[in-house]
Amino acid sequence: MEEDIKISIIVPCYNEEDVLSEFYAAVKDVMENRMKLDEYEVFFVNDGSTDATGTLLRGFHEKDIHVQYLSFSRNFGKESAMYAGLLYTKGDYTVIMDADLQHPPEVISDMYREISSGQYDMIATRRKNRKTDTKMRASLSHMFYGFMNRISGINMENDAMDFRMFNQKAKNAILSITEYNRFSKGIFEWIGFRTQWLEIEINDRRAGKSKWSFRGLFAYSLEGCIAFSTLPLSLASIMGCLCCFAGFAMIIAMVVQALATGVEGSGYATIVCMILLMGGIQLFCVGILGQYLAKTYLESKNRPKFLVQETSKEIVMERRAFSSDGTGQNQSYIR
Ligand code: UDP
Ligand code: MG
């Protein structure tokens, strides 16, 4: 059965009990009635949900051989969930989509048509509308991607989404990037390959709440900047040069003034201002260094990206060897 799967649909879910049944029914309908396809699997990655998500998934799996699931030991984040999904599925084509029905399941049939033509390795989607986002989130996101594209050297689209279909080549390329601090939007662009873009209408979340807080989005954006650019590190050198230049100019100005008019006052205020300015710049630069150091520290610890609590599907050996230390032994975690 495993060998025959044409499409694997990976669905990261975190506390999605309100929407999961509707999602499952909608995807099943598209696969079996619209696409008339039986060789598919829906692979739910339960990202440490604390509600009834795990129980629902077990129920789906018991009734339907097309449903597989994996539960993490705690919440590791959507990035880890997507990575785990890619690792555990073997379909000819792989789809990643959200569980909240914001990504319309019927688009999978368009993706399948495009990718099976053999002209593309990845079918990506960009949203036509941002009506489901608040104005604030939409404009911050626009600013962030503008900034990222300037500093990272890769072109990330503001409206691009994680809702994508990959062939084996593109999927293996993504899996070959094993870093701990993952920023998939960047990774999908970084790997290249022949990509076809589809513009789609995004629905409102059908039930439940978005898992992203302002703080979470900010931390994720920072992750993206650090993962895909080292330019902020150069900022320290640039500011250092500017300060040296300003200091040098001030010395010349003071010497000229002293020669022309004689030394005036104690200069106390100027000194305090300069100390504050220089101290501020130095701390700011040390802070940037600290961010990179922290990420390097986390990478060097080489911790697993997720830990498995329970799964309906044993991972296949070659993938395990491919992704971890190569021993292929009975590991309950994947690096
Ligand atoms: N999700 C996840 N782990 C998390 C947060 C979210 O697996 O820590 C899943 C969530 O269940 C959903 C998808 O990621 O299927 C997108 O999340 P959400 O709808 O909250 O994000 P938004 O659409 O608001 O960007
Ligand atoms: Mg959503």
Side-chain angles (χ1 to χ4, degrees), residues 98 100 102 205:
D98 290 354
D100 56 8
Q102 284 197 279
R205 179 177 250 283

Side-chain angles (χ1 to χ4, degrees), residues 11-14 16 45 47 75 77-78 81 97-100 102 137 205 209-212:
V11 191
C13 11
Y14 178 48
E16 299 288 8
V45 184
D47 184 12
N75 179 244
K78 187 183 171 188
M97 69 191 296
D98 290 354
D100 56 8
Q102 284 197 279
R137 182 167 166 175
R205 179 177 250 283
K209 277 195 292 205
S210 170
K211 309 300 175 302
W212 289 104

Side-chain angles (χ1 to χ4, degrees), residues 26-52:
V27 170
K28 196 172 172 62
D29 180 52
V30 167
M31 299 311 290
E32 292 176 13
N33 300 330
R34 194 182 173 120
M35 296 174 67
K36 310 266 183 258
L37 200 81
D38 192 44
E39 305 95 343
Y40 76 96
E41 66 176 343
V42 188
F43 189 77
F44 292 95
V45 184
N46 174 17
D47 184 12
S49 301
T50 48
D51 64 0

Side-chain angles (χ1 to χ4, degrees), residues 154-183:
I154 49 172
N155 186 29
M156 284 178 240
E157 294 217 16
N158 178 24
D159 293 327
M161 295 185 293
D162 292 339
F163 183 27
R164 286 168 194 244
M165 182 181 270
F166 312 98
N167 66 7
Q168 290 283 0
K169 215 192 295 179
K171 174 183 163 169
N172 285 335
I174 297 165
L175 279 173
S176 71
I177 300 170
T178 55
E179 59 202 35
Y180 183 82
N181 300 293
R182 299 184 77 74
F183 185 71

Side-chain angles (χ1 to χ4, degrees), residues 40-218:
Y40 76 96
E41 66 176 343
V42 188
F43 189 77
F44 292 95
V45 184
N46 174 17
D47 184 12
S49 301
T50 48
D51 64 0
T53 298
T55 320
L56 281 171
L57 296 183
R58 233 171 282 132
F60 296 160
H61 172 66
E62 273 158 22
K63 278 194 288 177
D64 185 352
I65 51 155
H66 294 109
V67 177
Q68 303 286 350
Y69 69 90
L70 178 151
S71 293
F72 287 173
S73 62
R74 65 167 171 84
N75 179 244
F76 280 87
K78 187 183 171 188
E79 287 290 339
S80 291
M82 291 192 285
Y83 182 77
L86 291 171
L87 212 53
Y88 272 69
T89 51
K90 274 196 84 180
D92 295 342
Y93 302 111
T94 312
V95 176
I96 297 181
M97 69 191 296
D98 290 354
D100 56 8
L101 284 170
Q102 284 197 279
H103 301 159
E106 55 277 11
V107 174
I108 298 174
S109 75
D110 302 331
M111 290 174 153
Y112 186 55
R113 197 181 49 243
E114 294 288 338
I115 208 161
S116 47
S117 73
Q119 287 177 348
Y120 304 104
D121 302 299
M122 179 179 358
I123 311 296
T125 56
R126 63 164 88 84
R127 66 184 95 197
K128 262 192 204 154
N129 57 313
R130 270 203 176 256
K131 66 179 188 328
T132 57
D133 278 0
T134 59
K135 273 215 171 82
M136 171 92 158
R137 182 167 166 175
S139 56
L140 282 178
S141 161
H142 185 74
M143 271 162 52
F144 169 71
Y145 283 104
F147 175 68
M148 273 298 284
N149 290 342
R150 269 164 199 261
I151 68 168
S152 69
I154 49 172
N155 186 29
M156 284 178 240
E157 294 217 16
N158 178 24
D159 293 327
M161 295 185 293
D162 292 339
F163 183 27
R164 286 168 194 244
M165 182 181 270
F166 312 98
N167 66 7
Q168 290 283 0
K169 215 192 295 179
K171 174 183 163 169
N172 285 335
I174 297 165
L175 279 173
S176 71
I177 300 170
T178 55
E179 59 202 35
Y180 183 82
N181 300 293
R182 299 184 77 74
F183 185 71
S184 284
K185 277 216 174 84
I187 292 175
F188 296 154
E189 298 313 317
W190 188 87
I191 59 164
F193 290 108
R194 299 167 303 168
T195 305
Q196 163 79 315
W197 286 91
L198 301 181
E199 291 226 333
I200 60 169
E201 292 275 352
I202 288 299
N203 302 319
D204 282 328
R205 179 177 250 283
R206 198 60 62 89
K209 277 195 292 205
S210 170
K211 309 300 175 302
W212 289 104
S213 60
F214 181 74
R215 208 171 134 219
L217 278 173
F218 181 74

